[in-house]
């Protein structure tokens, strides 16, 4: 009798045990992009926890609990490609959440396309990703040239209007793209570009570039690179006693670690953002942008910035597409992604036929009092300009 | 033909039908392709090191040349794969042929380190040029067509077979005897009338041609290439470890070593991604200290 | 004119550090005839040692200099005892692969423990820079320059004027001859390996002060050490200085005029050319003893 009861209980529990949908992500937990990779993972995790708390993803009549397999790509695109291949062939994952970094996304995209899997990513902004004719790769980041463009637009709107600009960039797929965006916009707005030069990935000493900037004395300095580069640029600008009126860095300023790394020297630096908590939108999962910010703060004890938000938004877009398709077939989910136009905490999410997002704005923040504040085009505070000299 | 070499042909035949038999083919296909690729590289290097005595430690330079040539032809000029591949191999081979006379004045570790410097320098050039995609690398078109899941397995199998046949030929032919004479004593070879510059240049050329072909197939297979993956010193050292493990200067040693190394590292890799490099390093150090003459113990 | 002076100044500071960095490499090459491809990784190991001492125990990176040398010296003896003796009998290019394996082992082990993140050792009292007229000098670079010069000078005195130093030079010149006059080559080999690795660690400590580093910096540091050694020739400590200054000047000017991205390429091409056309170095002189 007891055995019989046990059996009934067992069968019962089986029929109610939830099926699991496994997603995969190869993200940088070490190396150059470790900071951003960790933030991206936070975004994914927040989404996963929220979805599972609500009973999982609804596919047709079934509900799937979400699991995410993470691998560390060590900030190396070659490794990303290998790991994504491993996710697809060995772990049998069909839906990939993107890595961080344009080169990593670029590398992963080829593999995803090859195996006809599907990737939604909030970690790569290079426009090159969308020029490959891929059908299975979607991104929720505005493309890289917008980073440079927004910085220049802000700079020329300030009084006294700056006249000269120096642009330095890391030679990587994202930063060069962003730097070119700044270059084009600067020319269009009549700024004189006194320096436009790249340096190789992993450079730890920018002395010769600094010497050049020092000679040209530009009003505006734009640095396109990633977190580590941004910290290095500020340190060396100070070391070489270079005092431009406006310093803008494509990546770094909005991340809390930036202020932590530089302290007072981080003050008044500008940085473009994909998303800011100053946005005001409704959201199907978190209620609103404020709801997302609150959930994030409760979970991680600090305010979210756009890397984490991008992660959550990418996963959310995938979830909405799967639920609308009512199927786990890649082709059906893909069709839903292409036709979607949905308001979320992140802005309106909608993709063009190449897979890039075309429906949301960007913003620019400035570090004021140790905190990133949105100054353009929304104004949480007035921008401080010209930037005071180094102390 | 020695019995072991006949066994190798049977082995190739088995590999040809294996896709029909193995479950979970995508996974095993990847493992076998890696092993066959390493075998081809080791066999190519064997022509030079094993029979001629010149260790081209930076031989992967030609892997990069072949791979990039193939990739650029396919991507920027829409040339079909096979012609691109052939051109890739030929560019690699001719480059080697041209630089061989000055380069091969150096011997042993000086030759090794110069080729390594060449490999790294080429990687730097490729990273700095526009038409090679710079550090961003190139995304190749994706193979769609008949035998989609098996295409690359057969490509690599074919390359390994060609490399093996060339090794057999070198092992037996007059050309090979001349190379071996150079290996044993270059001055003596010269004095009995062997045109050493010509012969060793050709040896370098053949080896690099094969290496270039492997690079081309690899690029198409992996679809994303960048300077660090195509001019990777780790691949150089892996080739040498496979070669030294199996036994230099034999026809079957390189194959044996490559399969052994690839299987070991697959076991390591699939479980312990983090310590992959540590174990490879340890393997090299211990291998050279404990079995400096390879498994077959020749030469 | 100001610009030229500024660039030459940078070249001087950098070149002197390169010179010192290369001394350990050229010493083991000249005396033991080992081309140690793991040299750069040993340097990086020194950087991580100084980094760990600084962050875990709070040892100032200047104070840690003698510790670095001592640990490096010990490791060198250990390497010597464990396999260098066995290796000397192998073909030179086997030794090359062996040291390359060691390089992979060290860099990946470092990567396992420290991750690929860029680390740096901050020296608060050397932050900022000095301005002289239109010239600007970073204090950190100046500090590393002075220390490199000092250590190079110490090594020079040691090799030139002490009995042990002379014994090392004698062995480099002629092992059997040295044995005849009562020098034990085995002990000299051990000592050289110790000093060589000690120098690697010492320069690693300095490298950590100078700039950020990752576990995989070893490769291009080895290239630098190699280049300085072949440029100067393995002759004398003085010639390492010359080689170092040459490399420093080339790097500074290439990165200023052609761009930072061509720096490593220029070094590598130079290395290939020197190997093919002047394998004994620009200065001639093959071994330390041949002065």
């Amino acid at each position: 009798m007891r055995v019989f009861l046990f059996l009934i209980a067992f069968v019962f529990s089986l029929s109610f045990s939830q099926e699991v949908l496994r997603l995969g992500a190869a993200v940088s937990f070490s190396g150059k992009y470790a900071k951003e990779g960790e933030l991206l993972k936070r975004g994914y995790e927040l989404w996963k926890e929220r979805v599972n708390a609500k009973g999982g993803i609804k596919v047709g009549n079934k509900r799937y609990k979400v699991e995410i397999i993470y691998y560390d790509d060590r900030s190396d695109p070659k490794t990303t490609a290998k790991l994504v291949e491993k996710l697809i062939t060995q772990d049998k994952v069909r839906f990939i959440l993107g890595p961080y970094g344009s080169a990593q996304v670029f590398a992963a995209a080829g593999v995803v396309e090859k195996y006809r899997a599907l990737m939604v990513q909030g970690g790569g902004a290079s426009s090159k990703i969308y020029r490959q004719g891929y059908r299975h790769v979607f991104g929720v980041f505005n493309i890289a040239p917008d980073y440079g463009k927004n910085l220049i637009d802000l700079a020329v709107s300030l009084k006294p209007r700056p006249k000269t600009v120096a642009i330095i960039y890391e030679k990587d797929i994202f930063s060069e793209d962003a730097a070119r965006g700044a270059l084009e916009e600067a020319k269009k707005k009549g700024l004189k570009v006194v320096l436009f030069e790249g340096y190789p990935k992993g450079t730890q000493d920018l002395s010769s570039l600094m010497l050049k900037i020092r000679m040209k004395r530009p009003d505006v300095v734009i640095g396109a690179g990633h977190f580590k580069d941004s910290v290095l640029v500020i340190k060396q600008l100070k070391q070489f006693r270079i005092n431009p009126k406006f310093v803008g860095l494509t990546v770094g300023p909005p991340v809390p670690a930036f202020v932590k790394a530089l302290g007072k020297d981080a003050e008044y630096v500008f940085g473009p953002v994909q998303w800011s908590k100053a946005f005001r939108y409704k959201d199907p999962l978190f209620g609103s942008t404020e709801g997302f910010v609150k959930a994030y703060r409760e979970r991680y004890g600090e305010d979210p910035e756009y890397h984490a938000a991008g992660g959550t938004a990418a996963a959310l877009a995938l979830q909405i597409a799967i639920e609308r398709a009512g199927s786990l077939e890649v082709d059906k989910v893909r069709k839903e992604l292409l036709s979607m136009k949905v308001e979320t905490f992140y802005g309106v999410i909608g993709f063009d036929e190449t897979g890039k997002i075309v429906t949301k704005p960007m913003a620019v923040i400035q570090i004021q009092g140790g905190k990133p504040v949105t100054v353009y085009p929304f104004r949480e505070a007035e921008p401080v300009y010209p930037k005071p000299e180094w102390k | 033909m020695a019995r072991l070499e006949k066994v190798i042909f049977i082995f190739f035949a088995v590999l040809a039908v294996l896709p029909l038999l193995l479950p979970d083919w995508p996974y095993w296909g990847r493992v076998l392709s890696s092993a066959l690729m390493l075998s081809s590289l080791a066999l190519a290097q064997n022509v030079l090191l094993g029979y001629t005595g010149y260790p081209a430690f930076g031989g992967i330079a030609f892997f990069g040349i072949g791979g990039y040539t193939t990739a650029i032809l396919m991507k920027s000029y829409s040339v079909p794969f096979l012609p691109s591949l052939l051109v890739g191999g030929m560019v690699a081979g001719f480059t080697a042929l041209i630089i061989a006379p000055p380069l091969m004045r150096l011997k042993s570790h000086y030759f090794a380190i110069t080729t390594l410097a060449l490999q790294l320098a080429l990687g730097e050039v490729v990273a700095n040029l526009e038409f090679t995609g710079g550090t961003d690398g190139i995304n190749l078109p994706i193979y769609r067509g008949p035998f989609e899941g098996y295409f690359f397995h057969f490509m690599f199998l074919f390359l390994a077979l060609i490399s093996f046949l060339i090794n057999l030929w070198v092992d037996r032919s007059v050309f090979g005897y001349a190379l071996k004479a150079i290996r044993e004593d270059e001055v003596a070879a010269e004095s009995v009338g062997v045109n050493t510059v010509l012969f060793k240049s050709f040896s370098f050329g053949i080896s690099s041609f094969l290496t270039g072909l492997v690079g081309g197939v690899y690029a198409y297979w992996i679809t994303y290439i960048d300077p660090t993956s195509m001019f990777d010193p780790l691949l150089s050292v892996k080739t040498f470890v496979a070669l030294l493990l199996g036994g230099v200067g034999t026809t079957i040693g390189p194959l044996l070593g490559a399969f052994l190394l690839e299987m070991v590292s697959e076991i390591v890799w699939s479980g312990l991604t983090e310590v992959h490099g540590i174990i490879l390093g340890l393997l090299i150090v211990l291998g050279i200290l404990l079995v400096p003459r390879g498994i077959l113990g020749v030469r | 004119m100001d610009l030229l002076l500024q660039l030459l100044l940078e070249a001087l500071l950098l070149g002197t550090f390169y010179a010192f960095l290369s001394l350990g490499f050229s010493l083991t090459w000249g005396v033991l005839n080992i081309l140690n491809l793991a040299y750069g990784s040993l340097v990086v190991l020194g950087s991580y040692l100084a980094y760990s001492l600084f962050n875990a125990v709070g040892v100032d990176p200047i104070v840690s200099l003698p510790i670095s040398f001592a640990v490096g010296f010990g490791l060198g003896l250990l390497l010597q005892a464990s396999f260098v003796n066995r290796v000397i009998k192998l073909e030179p290019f086997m030794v090359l692969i062996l040291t390359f394996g060691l390089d992979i082992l060290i860099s990946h082990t470092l990567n396992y423990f420290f991750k690929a993140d860029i680390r740096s050792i901050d020296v608060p009292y050397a932050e900022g820079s000095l301005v002289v007229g239109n010239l600007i000098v970073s204090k950190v670079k100046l500090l590393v320059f002075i220390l490199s010069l000092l250590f190079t000078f110490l090594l020079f005195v040691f090799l030139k004027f002490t009995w042990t130093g002379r014994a090392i030079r004698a062995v480099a010149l002629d092992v059997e001859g040295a044995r005849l006059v009562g020098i034990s080559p085995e002990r000299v080999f051990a000592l050289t390996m110790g000093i060589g690795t000690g120098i690697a660690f010492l320069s690693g400590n300095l490298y950590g002060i100078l700039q950020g580093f990752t576990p995989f910096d070893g490769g291009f540091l080895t290239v630098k050490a190699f280049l300085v050694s072949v440029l100067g020739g393995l002759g004398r400590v003085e010639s390492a200085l010359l080689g170092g200054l040459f490399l420093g000047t080339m790097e500074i000017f290439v990165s200023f005029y052609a761009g930072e991205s061509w720096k490593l390429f220029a070094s590598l091409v130079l290395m290939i050319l020197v190997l093919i056309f002047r394998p004994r170095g620009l200065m001639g002189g093959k071994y330390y003893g041949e002065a």
Side-chain angles (χ1 to χ4, degrees):
Chain A
M1 185 61 195
R2 196 177 285 173
V3 175
F4 182 67
L5 270 181
F6 178 78
L7 267 179
I8 287 191
F10 183 68
V11 171
F12 201 67
S13 72
L14 261 189
S15 62
F16 270 81
S17 79
Q18 239 179 341
E19 290 203 51
V20 170
L21 174 64
R22 293 165 97 193
L23 308 177
V27 185
S28 313
F29 300 126
S30 60
K32 203 173 166 70
Y33 306 143
K35 284 265 159 15
E36 294 96 334
E38 190 55 44
L39 291 168
L40 187 61
K41 183 185 174 188
R42 283 184 174 188
Y44 292 152
E45 286 291 292
L46 187 67
W47 167 80
K48 183 188 88 180
E49 284 160 17
R50 179 58 69 113
V51 168
N52 285 340
K54 290 195 165 180
I57 291 193
K58 193 166 163 291
V59 184
N61 298 321
K62 276 196 211 151
R63 281 194 172 268
Y64 288 80
K65 200 169 162 288
V66 178
E67 264 179 28
I68 305 176
I69 305 173
Y70 292 100
Y71 291 127
D72 176 13
D73 68 17
R74 288 174 283 160
S75 308
D76 170 33
K78 186 180 57 182
T79 310
T80 316
K82 260 192 188 152
L83 291 173
V84 170
E85 182 156 32
K86 184 178 167 174
L87 280 168
I88 298 172
T89 59
Q90 273 176 271
D91 301 322
K92 313 288 180 215
V93 168
R94 299 304 290 161
F95 301 104
I96 301 286
L97 297 173
Y100 179 79
S102 288
Q104 281 73 1
V105 171
F106 191 62
V111 180
V112 167
E113 189 70 16
K114 177 169 155 190
Y115 290 99
R116 296 191 176 88
L118 192 67
M119 173 165 81
V120 185
Q121 56 92 9
S126 169
S127 51
K128 203 170 161 181
I129 298 165
Y130 305 105
R131 277 191 258 115
Q132 307 294 322
Y134 288 163
R135 296 157 47 88
H136 297 90
V137 177
F138 292 82
V140 299
F141 270 6
N142 286 31
I143 52 172
D146 286 358
Y147 285 65
K149 181 176 175 293
N150 276 279
L151 280 174
I152 297 291
D153 284 344
L154 169 58
V156 295
S157 75
L158 299 170
K159 299 273 172 303
R161 196 178 194 274
K163 293 184 186 67
T164 52
V165 56
I167 303 167
I168 57 173
Y169 60 92
E170 186 197 6
K171 283 203 173 167
D172 110 310
I173 178 170
F174 162 79
S175 307
E176 190 157 354
D177 216 10
R180 289 202 185 279
L183 179 71
E184 296 305 317
E185 191 68 7
K187 280 182 185 160
K188 208 192 291 169
K189 294 282 160 74
L191 283 179
K192 190 168 171 243
V193 181
V194 293
L195 181 72
F196 182 77
E197 194 174 317
Y199 56 88
K201 284 189 256 193
T203 303
Q204 282 302 304
D205 181 13
L206 298 171
S207 294
S208 61
L209 274 175
M210 290 299 155
L211 287 175
K212 282 184 203 176
I213 299 179
R214 197 160 177 268
M215 276 161 45
K216 313 265 187 185
R217 301 181 183 284
D219 295 333
V220 177
V221 171
I222 304 286
H226 284 85
F227 184 81
K228 302 276 181 184
D229 306 79
S230 301
V231 172
L232 188 67
V233 166
I234 297 297
K235 275 189 177 168
Q236 295 212 317
L237 278 176
K238 185 185 177 189
Q239 191 182 62
F240 281 82
R241 303 192 189 181
I242 302 166
N243 281 298
K245 294 190 187 114
F246 180 107
V247 178
L249 301 171
T250 53
V251 174
V255 185
F258 183 75
V259 176
K260 218 178 281 168
L262 289 168
K264 281 261 168 286
D265 295 336
E267 277 307 285
Y268 312 123
V269 174
F270 292 97
V273 287
Q274 287 283 353
W275 172 90
S276 120
K277 59 184 193 297
F279 281 23
R280 288 288 168 265
Y281 292 101
K282 285 208 245 344
D283 185 90
L285 193 63
F286 296 95
S288 64
T289 305
E290 283 154 302
F292 168 75
V293 173
K294 193 162 152 278
Y296 190 93
R297 209 182 284 146
E298 274 166 14
R299 176 70 175 78
Y300 298 111
E302 61 182 32
D303 280 346
E305 42 60 76
Y306 75 83
H307 296 93
T312 307
L316 185 57
L318 179 65
Q319 178 200 349
I320 294 170
I322 291 178
E323 293 190 337
R324 284 187 178 177
S327 159
L328 290 175
E329 272 173 55
V330 165
D331 272 346
K332 289 187 180 156
V333 177
R334 176 177 169 268
K335 277 207 189 82
E336 291 303 326
L337 278 169
L338 279 174
S339 63
M340 117 184 342
K341 195 163 195 186
V342 60
E343 185 174 339
T344 70
F345 75 93
Y346 182 73
V348 176
I349 298 182
F351 305 96
D352 69 3
E353 69 283 0
T354 64
K356 65 169 178 282
I357 197 164
V358 283
T359 46
K360 70 172 258 303
M362 280 187 81
V364 179
I365 59 100
Q366 183 179 36
I367 304 290
Q368 293 183 8
K371 287 235 156 27
V373 221
T374 310
V375 293
Y376 178 87
F378 314 90
R379 286 219 164 156
E380 281 182 335
E382 285 299 309
V384 175
Y385 176 89
K387 181 182 180 309
E389 297 207 347
W390 304 110
K391 288 201 189 81
Chain B
M1 195 182 297
R3 233 171 78 210
L4 274 171
E5 285 165 351
K6 282 182 191 146
V7 174
I8 297 294
F9 280 111
I10 298 172
F11 180 59
F12 275 121
V14 170
L15 282 175
V17 292
L18 218 47
L20 301 173
L21 308 173
L22 274 182
D24 197 8
W25 176 251
Y27 169 71
W28 281 107
R30 191 170 60 79
V31 175
L32 286 178
S33 292
S34 315
L36 284 168
M37 175 175 122
L38 193 61
S39 305
S40 315
L41 288 175
L43 283 164
Q45 184 63 240
N46 194 39
V47 173
L48 191 61
L49 173 60
Y51 294 109
T52 325
Y54 280 80
F57 199 42
I60 294 306
F62 302 99
F63 177 86
I65 293 179
Y68 263 96
T69 310
T70 309
I72 292 166
L73 284 177
M74 289 179 73
K75 182 86 181 179
S76 310
Y77 301 98
S78 308
V79 181
F81 172 60
L82 287 176
S84 303
L85 179 66
L86 203 62
V87 175
M90 275 158 57
V91 171
F94 279 115
T95 313
L97 212 53
I98 291 165
I99 60 170
L103 209 61
M104 293 182 104
R105 285 163 46 192
L106 301 167
K107 287 206 177 62
S108 188
H109 58 314
Y110 286 97
F111 179 72
I113 208 157
T114 310
T115 53
L116 184 62
L118 183 74
Q119 173 184 336
L120 297 174
L122 276 174
E124 287 295 310
V125 179
V126 168
N128 275 311
L129 293 180
E130 285 277 327
F131 75 99
T132 54
T135 48
D136 306 349
I138 299 177
N139 257 335
L140 280 88
I142 289 156
Y143 176 75
R144 299 270 189 245
F147 303 108
E148 206 167 297
Y150 313 103
F151 180 72
F152 290 102
H153 173 68
F154 286 117
M155 282 309 297
F156 280 120
L157 190 64
F158 180 67
L159 281 185
L161 184 65
I162 299 264
S163 312
F164 182 64
L165 289 175
I166 288 182
N167 269 266
L168 274 185
W169 172 67
V170 170
D171 197 48
R172 316 288 203 257
S173 65
V174 178
F175 176 68
Y177 289 133
L179 294 187
K180 285 180 210 162
I182 292 173
R183 178 184 77 193
E184 297 309 327
D185 188 339
E186 200 164 334
V187 180
E190 183 87 57
S191 68
V192 296
V194 178
N195 185 341
T196 55
V197 176
L198 193 70
F199 277 87
K200 64 190 185 185
S201 299
F202 265 104
S203 164
F204 195 20
I206 292 172
S207 167
S208 304
F209 171 70
L210 288 175
T211 310
L213 288 182
V214 181
V217 177
Y218 173 80
Y220 195 26
W221 177 48
I222 214 77
T223 69
Y224 169 72
I225 62 170
D226 72 350
T228 53
S229 62
M230 291 311 281
F231 296 93
D232 188 359
L234 273 182
L235 193 55
S236 312
V237 79
K238 248 177 120 174
T239 310
F240 269 74
V241 172
L243 193 54
L244 296 171
L245 204 64
V248 187
T250 64
T251 48
I252 62 168
L255 263 172
L256 202 66
F259 265 82
L260 195 71
L261 180 65
E262 200 54 53
M263 291 303 152
V264 168
S265 72
E266 183 54 39
I267 293 162
V268 172
W269 161 257
S270 49
L272 311 153
T273 320
E274 294 258 292
V275 292
H276 189 240
I278 302 180
I279 296 194
L280 180 65
L282 213 58
L283 213 64
I284 297 167
V285 173
L286 293 180
I288 291 184
L289 287 180
L290 303 179
V291 262
R293 287 165 163 271
I295 300 169
L296 295 184
V298 189
R299 210 175 103 74
Chain C
M1 193 59 214
D2 276 349
L3 176 64
L4 191 66
L5 268 178
Q6 177 77 50
L7 293 179
L8 285 175
L9 177 67
E10 298 273 330
L12 174 72
L13 300 187
L14 200 62
T16 310
F17 171 66
Y18 287 163
F20 176 63
L21 172 91
S22 77
L23 283 172
F25 183 82
S26 63
L27 202 62
T28 41
W29 188 3
V31 178
L32 285 96
N33 200 23
I34 290 179
L35 266 177
N36 184 5
L37 292 190
Y39 188 77
S41 280
L42 289 171
V43 172
V44 176
L45 204 56
S47 307
Y48 278 93
L49 177 68
Y51 173 84
S52 307
L53 283 172
F54 180 61
N55 280 305
V57 202
V59 182
D60 186 282
I62 304 290
V63 180
S64 68
L65 285 168
I67 307 176
S68 291
F69 183 77
V71 173
F73 190 85
L75 182 69
L77 293 185
L78 197 74
L79 284 174
Q80 163 75 15
S82 56
F83 55 78
V84 170
N85 279 332
R86 238 188 278 190
V87 152
I88 271 179
K89 295 178 213 111
L90 294 176
E91 264 203 69
F93 93 88
M94 292 287 268
V95 183
L96 203 68
I97 294 174
L98 179 79
T99 57
F100 197 82
L102 197 61
D103 174 78
I104 296 172
L105 184 61
I106 296 173
S107 56
H108 282 83
T109 307
L110 279 175
N111 184 51
Y112 183 73
F113 287 109
F114 291 93
K115 301 296 163 210
D117 304 330
I118 299 169
R119 312 274 169 166
S120 52
I121 307 170
D122 290 323
V123 199
Y125 46 84
E127 223 172 58
S129 43
L130 301 173
V131 178
V132 187
N134 269 328
L135 292 182
I136 187 161
V137 199
S138 116
K139 285 186 195 161
V140 173
K141 282 183 187 165
L142 201 60
L143 179 71
V144 169
F145 165 73
I146 293 169
L147 290 170
S148 303
L149 206 59
L150 175 70
F151 295 141
T152 308
F153 179 70
L154 288 180
L155 186 74
F156 173 74
V157 171
F158 170 75
L159 284 177
K160 195 102 183 173
F161 299 113
T162 65
W163 191 88
T164 326
R166 285 190 189 136
I168 291 179
R169 289 195 292 147
V171 170
L173 194 61
D174 181 353
V175 177
E176 292 316 312
R179 203 191 293 277
L180 284 179
V181 296
I183 299 168
S184 154
E186 286 72 29
R187 289 191 52 194
V188 167
F189 285 165
L191 190 67
T192 308
M193 199 62 196
I195 294 175
T197 317
I199 292 174
F201 269 57
L202 210 47
S203 47
N205 193 331
L206 293 176
Y207 183 63
I209 300 175
L210 194 62
Q211 63 168 75
F213 50 90
T214 74
F216 298 107
D217 284 5
F220 81 95
L221 288 174
T222 305
V223 171
K224 289 188 205 305
F226 188 94
L227 201 51
V228 172
S229 303
V230 289
L231 279 175
L234 295 177
R236 290 154 289 184
V237 173
E238 309 90 276
S239 65
L241 269 178
L242 258 153
L245 289 179
F246 191 97
L247 178 65
T249 311
M250 190 192 73
E251 278 198 356
I252 294 291
F253 278 81
V254 166
S255 62
F256 193 87
Y257 289 105
E260 194 73 27
S261 353
W262 291 101
K263 202 166 75 177
L264 184 57
F265 173 74
S267 302
L268 288 164
V269 168
L270 190 66
M271 180 167 148
I272 295 170
L273 292 179
V274 171
L275 274 166
I276 291 180
F277 297 108
R278 295 296 302 266
R280 290 192 150 215
L282 297 183
M283 302 296 141
K286 199 172 176 199
Y287 297 120
Y288 268 80
E290 259 179 46

